[in-house]
Amino acid sequence: MNFTKMHGIGNDYVYVDGFKQTLKDPNAFSEFISDRHFGIGSDGLVIILPSEIADFRMRMFNADGSEGKMCGNATRCIGKFVYETGYTDKKNISLETLSGIKYLTLTVEDGKVVYVEVDMGKAILSPQDIPVISDQETFINTPISIDNEIYYGTCVSMGNPHVVVYCEDVDLLSLESIGPKFEFNPLFPERINTEFVQIIDDSTVKMRVWERGSGETWACGTGACAVAVSCVLNGYCKINEEITVKLRGGDLKITYKEDGTVLMKGPATKVFDGTIEYEEA
């Protein structure tokens, strides 16, 4: 199986060209290649495919083999992949995902894609659509009980579910301990991605993320978008203004617009091409 290893500020995936290769069981393949000791090592698998309703289509799988609806960092890498491999010469690309069509704008220098802005669509705030079990109209700064301790969370969906929790110093957190307790909390029927956020100023925040199915990752694009939305809703940042979200792997620039749309800007990096021996069952 031929593949390309790419990352968006450290959120690394194995990318398979679905125009040329077919996987019968992508769930098992994702679990196999994601292992950092026995496989390639990644946060999961992304398959790039043709689409009947957009320029391209993506499927993404977490490290545990479960399929996700969206990955913001992967959308940027796909933009780089399809442009640099010659599948398109357009700098404005539509991409079909399980959470709808996303629109990419490529910044190209010397034939290489160095930066991608993604129109991530509108943030979803209704608890039943996120989903989170709640009879409120929104889930903003709402108490959540974890191990008899109360945390205050804001829930946002960017095509996949997120809960944003504020703290004084994200570097002091033991994510391996607290992350799974949010992910598998019965409050979240489809599990949850959890962002722990430290406010730097009214246009800069710092976050760490525990992703459902993958654990702590160095970056999460949809998570950064959810954080920006939450920061505006909680009065930490301003609507229509660019917010710098600092992640372990680098920075993303997020704008939460007045119409509810979220824009994400960030780099995409190719690491290497390779071939791995894999026999499907």
Side-chain angles (χ1 to χ4, degrees):
M1 180 67 64
N2 297 318
F3 68 90
T4 298
K5 178 80 178 285
M6 304 181 77
H7 76 84
I9 61 170
N11 190 196
D12 61 336
Y13 285 86
V14 169
Y15 292 77
V16 169
D17 185 341
F19 287 83
K20 297 178 179 178
Q21 300 174 109
T22 301
L23 279 164
K24 290 186 293 184
D25 189 349
N27 309 79
F29 185 66
S30 181
E31 192 170 5
F32 167 70
I33 55 95
S34 296
D35 191 292
R36 297 187 185 273
H37 299 286
F38 298 100
I40 298 165
S42 69
D43 291 325
L45 167 72
V46 175
I47 307 173
I48 304 166
L49 297 155
S51 171
E52 296 182 356
I53 59 174
D55 294 320
F56 301 95
R57 178 167 70 98
M58 69 174 277
R59 294 184 71 189
M60 65 84 56
F61 299 84
N62 298 306
D64 67 354
S66 60
E67 184 166 7
K69 291 184 177 180
M70 243 298 280
C71 173
N73 290 314
T75 61
R76 301 199 312 277
C77 290
I78 288 171
K80 182 178 179 70
F81 182 93
V82 296
Y83 186 89
E84 293 184 6
T85 53
Y87 280 129
T88 185
D89 59 2
K90 298 195 301 183
K91 295 179 183 177
N92 293 284
I93 297 170
S94 58
L95 178 65
E96 179 188 354
T97 78
L98 286 180
S99 64
I101 296 176
K102 309 301 176 187
Y103 297 92
L104 286 59
T105 302
L106 312 183
T107 298
V108 180
E109 296 177 2
D110 299 324
K112 300 292 185 182
V113 176
V114 295
Y115 220 72
V116 181
E117 178 179 273
V118 184
D119 182 339
M120 299 288 286
K122 292 188 176 182
I124 298 167
L125 302 177
S126 170
Q128 60 265 34
D129 295 328
I130 291 172
V132 53
I133 297 172
S134 172
D135 55 7
Q136 302 173 177
E137 289 187 11
T138 56
F139 198 97
I140 299 172
N141 196 34
T142 299
I144 301 170
S145 178
I146 302 286
D147 282 353
N148 297 317
E149 186 172 347
I150 298 299
Y151 296 82
Y152 288 85
T154 296
C155 290
V156 180
S157 173
M158 292 303 308
N160 52 4
H162 297 269
V163 58
V164 179
V165 178
Y166 296 93
C167 59
E168 290 188 4
D169 190 338
V170 294
D171 293 325
L172 297 179
L173 291 172
S174 175
L175 244 61
E176 290 80 5
S177 173
I178 190 66
K181 294 175 183 177
F182 276 91
E183 178 180 355
F184 295 99
N185 191 291
L187 194 62
F188 310 113
E190 295 181 9
R191 296 188 290 165
I192 199 82
N193 303 288
T194 309
E195 286 75 36
F196 297 91
V197 178
Q198 176 182 343
I199 304 298
I200 307 299
D201 56 40
D202 64 1
S203 61
T204 311
V205 302
K206 185 177 181 180
M207 72 170 254
R208 289 174 67 188
V209 56
W210 182 270
E211 292 197 55
R212 62 175 181 173
S214 291
E216 182 175 14
T217 60
W218 279 49
C220 177
T222 56
C225 292
V227 164
V229 171
S230 173
C231 287
V232 170
L233 294 176
N234 283 284
Y236 294 117
C237 300
K238 297 176 182 177
I239 202 161
N240 289 326
E241 294 190 8
E242 192 172 79
I243 301 166
T244 299
V245 182
K246 305 181 81 63
L247 305 100
R248 291 190 69 186
D251 296 351
L252 291 174
K253 306 287 187 179
I254 313 293
T255 305
Y256 182 34
K257 301 181 74 175
E258 203 161 1
D259 65 358
T261 300
V262 183
L263 301 179
M264 173 189 63
K265 296 179 186 176
T269 304
K270 177 180 175 179
V271 185
F272 62 88
D273 293 314
T275 304
I276 189 168
E277 294 184 10
Y278 180 72
E279 186 174 344
E280 289 196 297

